[in-house]
Amino acid sequence: MSRHEVVSPIPGVFYRRPDPDSDVFAEPGASVESDQTVCLIEVMKSFHSVPAGAAGTLVEFLVEDEDVVDAGQPVAVVEVS
């Protein structure tokens, strides 16, 4: 099976959940659809959804919650089904 890297489209702060009181968008091992949000990137109080980009199984996150990421930086890996 092939792997797809989910990359941050913009520089900012990485979040795995929509707000502190909510569940994460997806856990490693979960099935995801290509248009399913797996994280948010926040820049200047504006939040941008990041979709999986490929249908399959979310293998891992490559950064921790609230890490600062760069544009084009891989943040997660999906094993394409």
Side-chain angles (χ1 to χ4, degrees):
M1 293 194 169
S2 64
R3 289 184 165 214
H4 167 76
E5 287 186 335
V6 180
V7 298
S8 175
I10 56 173
V13 179
F14 171 87
Y15 292 101
R16 289 189 56 200
R17 61 187 81 232
D19 62 69
D21 298 325
S22 296
D23 292 333
V24 295
F25 289 109
E27 290 282 0
S31 293
V32 293
E33 297 299 322
S34 62
D35 60 348
Q36 181 177 337
T37 299
V38 294
C39 65
L40 295 176
I41 304 297
E42 180 263 330
V43 60
M44 296 177 61
K45 304 295 181 195
S46 180
F47 291 85
H48 302 270
S49 297
V50 179
T57 302
L58 181 62
V59 176
E60 65 180 327
F61 285 98
L62 304 173
V63 295
E64 297 295 323
D65 204 36
E66 299 185 22
D67 277 357
V68 174
V69 297
D70 292 321
Q73 179 177 344
V75 295
V77 176
V78 174
E79 190 170 89
V80 179
S81 49

